[in-house]
Amino acid sequence: MKILIVGTGYVGTTTALVFCEMGHQVTGLDVDDQKIEALQAGNLHFYEPGLKELLLKHIQTENISFTKNIKEAIKNNDVIFICVGTPRGEDGRADLTYVKNVAESIGKYMKEYKVIVTKSTVPTGTAELVTEWVKSAQEELVLFDVVSNPEFLREGSALYDALHPDRIVIGTTSEKARLTMRELYQDFQCPIVETNPKASEMIKYAANSFLAMKISFINELARLCDRLAININDVSKGIGLDHRIGPHFLKAGMGYGGSCFPKDVNALLQTAGASGIPLTILEQVVQVNAEQSLYFINKIKQALGGDLTNKTIAVLGLAFKANTDDIRESQSLNLINRLVQEQAMIKMHDPVVKLADPPHGPFCRQFQTVAETVSDTDAVVLCTDWDEYKQLDWMTIKRLMKQPYILDGRNMVDKGKVEALGFHYTGIANY
Ligand code: UDX
């Protein structure tokens, strides 16, 4: 089947390459000429493990090509996936400008039947809007169907998630489009949930909101466990082994970030508000997440004697989580802002993220190595759970530091081991 992917971000590019693996012929299209030129040359404009290798492979097999020519791309393909961004608008709602632009272009250039699939995360009711936008741009009546087919990829493991999905969700009212989608996904060994577009769109928001809720639940419980000197990691393990609860997304830390959870939870709250049905649990999820980073800052302050003025702090990890170079809504950057407000000096490190324009001028500097970053600092603050940071040589680090303080925002360090080396260790209810 000939597939067009519009929007070559991490969702679009991953989706495109996975369809290549399944033997489909795929074209990638983007309004950003630089992205297209980079992809044509076999280069990714973002960091995602395993993806570059697959890109090079399918440039070789000629299963993938990239183009800037939207008119030809729409004409030449049967199924069009919309994978463009839906950033958070000023009022918290998803901004559908890019989706609308794509839908209108499809309407303008299509000359025969197309299946139009929204993979971007879009609010309930968007499939209907896409239908209207396509129709309104058509100069002559050409039939088409719209399908909602959300993605559930995590950054950092997008390729694995796309190749091994827990489920595939297909939302359409058209039998013809449903059959096309089944054919497209026929090689996947997972349940397929077939429903209408509205329910499919809701599934995506509900899934992300539920996961965010698990994180906020465990983070709030961690505060109580901290007070009672109970190890939250043991509690997570103990409840996660109950198959009704499950072990995932129960890792206490400094709060969730990233391009999805904050945006999607807010968008669902907006939909709820506009529908007159408040989602009060979800309101608390947001609240708890906002408080969690403050909670961690207070722990840093307490550990360092209550005043951070002129303290030099090494922040390890800038990405919002490991295995990505994404810093959108990163709790780490949030923390740096607050530490600088408290008059601290920051030395930063990340294995992958290189800030072109570090924030806060002279108060903040990024270093190439962990050794340079921790030298002459009063404390090391761990913000991103990179594997590299799980294997640090703390003995050497202690020699380089001014004061031996570790503040662990991801509960990733063995407390017993570092305390035995003479460190003062503080995690999130990590005993
Ligand atoms: C998420 C969803 O998992 C994915 O299905 C959806 O398609 C996009 O949004 P992503 O944003 O890439 O994926 O990251 P994810 O691994 O879900 O982590 C989100 C945030 O939660 C990160 O900041 C992470 O550090 C934090 N987190 C995750 C925790 O604090 N504790 C956990 O137990 C899990």
Side-chain angles (χ1 to χ4, degrees):
M1 213 174 291
K2 291 179 78 181
I3 300 170
L4 173 64
I5 303 281
V6 188
T8 55
Y10 93 99
V11 171
T13 307
T14 310
T15 306
L17 291 167
V18 166
F19 281 136
C20 290
E21 282 286 281
M22 301 296 153
H24 300 295
Q25 198 63 43
V26 184
T27 305
L29 174 87
D30 205 291
V31 288
D32 185 335
D33 290 357
Q34 276 180 346
K35 278 186 190 170
I36 290 297
E37 279 155 26
L39 288 163
Q40 279 167 335
N43 294 316
L44 289 176
H45 49 89
F46 56 95
Y47 175 79
E48 185 62 47
L51 215 54
K52 183 168 169 140
E53 291 77 1
L54 211 56
L55 173 65
L56 293 171
K57 174 180 163 186
H58 288 296
I59 289 176
Q60 282 277 315
T61 62
E62 297 185 357
N63 276 1
I64 196 150
S65 61
F66 297 94
T67 181
K68 304 172 204 170
N69 188 334
I70 189 161
K71 188 175 172 183
E72 284 298 304
I74 289 168
K75 202 176 97 192
N76 293 338
N77 289 283
D78 319 307
V79 185
I80 304 172
F81 278 83
I82 304 179
C83 300
V84 294
T86 52
R88 193 196 311 193
E90 271 172 28
D91 54 2
R93 267 186 274 190
D95 179 348
L96 297 179
T97 311
Y98 303 125
V99 177
K100 185 169 188 262
N101 290 345
V102 177
E104 287 174 346
S105 299
I106 296 171
K108 189 168 165 198
Y109 296 124
M110 66 186 289
K111 297 287 172 232
E112 54 189 28
Y113 175 80
K114 305 283 171 193
V115 176
I116 303 166
V117 189
T118 50
K119 210 166 232 326
S120 304
T121 301
V122 289
T124 300
T126 302
E128 286 165 18
L129 289 174
V130 169
T131 306
E132 280 170 31
W133 291 329
V134 174
K135 274 189 188 157
S136 68
Q138 285 185 334
E139 282 155 14
E140 54 184 303
L141 182 69
V142 185
L143 294 180
F144 66 94
D145 285 309
V146 176
V147 180
S148 159
N149 173 224
E151 54 74 23
F152 301 98
L153 314 177
R154 289 163 301 172
E155 290 183 36
S157 50
L159 192 55
Y160 179 86
D161 291 351
L163 288 167
H164 308 93
D166 289 338
R167 77 307 206 182
I168 289 161
V169 178
I170 296 173
T172 182
T173 48
S174 152
E175 193 51 27
K176 188 173 176 183
R178 198 189 315 279
L179 293 176
T180 303
M181 295 302 287
R182 273 190 205 163
E183 194 187 329
L184 212 55
Y185 284 112
Q186 64 187 355
D187 291 333
F188 287 82
Q189 312 294 324
C190 70
I192 294 189
V193 179
E194 295 185 343
T195 182
N196 61 38
K198 273 191 176 178
S200 169
E201 289 158 348
M202 180 57 87
I203 287 168
K204 170 67 193 211
Y205 281 101
N208 271 359
S209 298
F210 193 86
L211 294 171
M213 180 179 75
K214 283 185 92 174
I215 299 170
S216 276
F217 175 82
I218 208 70
N219 280 340
E220 195 173 38
L221 194 69
R223 297 182 211 159
L224 175 62
C225 286
D226 244 343
R227 175 61 57 85
L228 303 176
I230 295 169
N231 188 335
I232 192 68
N233 305 319
D234 291 346
V235 176
S236 293
K237 191 173 175 193
I239 64 171
L241 285 167
D242 183 328
H243 74 275
R244 294 168 303 175
I245 298 173
H248 306 292
F249 288 75
L250 287 178
K251 204 166 180 324
M254 46 195 283
Y256 61 78
S259 66
C260 293
F261 285 179
K263 168 173 81 74
D264 294 351
V265 171
N266 269 298
L268 186 54
L269 282 171
Q270 277 296 326
T271 303
S275 311
I277 305 288
L279 295 177
T280 51
I281 294 177
L282 217 49
E283 286 165 10
Q284 290 306 310
V285 168
V286 175
Q287 173 76 18
V288 169
N289 199 53
E291 288 163 3
Q292 191 67 7
S293 51
L294 294 177
Y295 178 74
F296 186 51
I297 301 262
N298 280 335
K299 293 197 84 162
I300 299 175
K301 274 177 80 173
Q302 268 172 24
L304 296 179
D307 184 7
L308 299 180
T309 310
N310 294 328
K311 292 270 186 326
T312 307
I313 297 181
V315 173
L316 299 188
L318 300 171
F320 87 91
K321 64 169 188 178
N323 295 323
T324 178
D325 60 353
D326 198 339
I327 53 168
R328 284 176 288 178
E329 305 263 355
S330 164
Q331 289 294 356
S332 172
L333 296 186
N334 193 5
L335 179 112
I336 288 170
N337 289 340
R338 290 181 188 275
L339 292 177
V340 170
Q341 279 167 20
E342 299 276 345
Q343 316 287 321
M345 306 287 287
I346 308 297
K347 298 177 81 180
M348 311 178 285
H349 176 268
D350 191 281
V352 172
V353 177
K354 302 294 168 224
L355 292 181
D357 200 5
H360 310 296
F363 302 102
C364 239
R365 261 190 78 192
Q366 186 168 1
F367 293 83
Q368 293 289 331
T369 64
V370 171
E372 287 169 284
T373 314
V374 299
S375 289
D376 293 320
T377 56
D378 296 287
V380 170
V381 181
L382 288 143
C383 290
T384 312
D385 52 348
W386 286 102
D387 276 346
E388 178 178 338
Y389 300 153
K390 291 178 188 157
Q391 290 145 17
L392 292 173
D393 174 1
W394 287 106
M395 181 98 92
T396 307
I397 290 178
K398 185 162 173 272
R399 275 193 227 112
L400 296 169
M401 292 176 71
K402 251 192 317 205
Q403 297 198 81
Y405 283 88
I406 299 174
L407 288 305
D408 186 356
R410 298 288 167 193
N411 284 357
M412 57 196 282
V413 171
D414 186 328
K415 175 179 155 61
K417 266 192 192 159
V418 291
E419 283 184 344
L421 294 173
F423 275 100
H424 303 282
Y425 173 90
T426 310
I428 311 278
N430 188 14
Y431 294 102

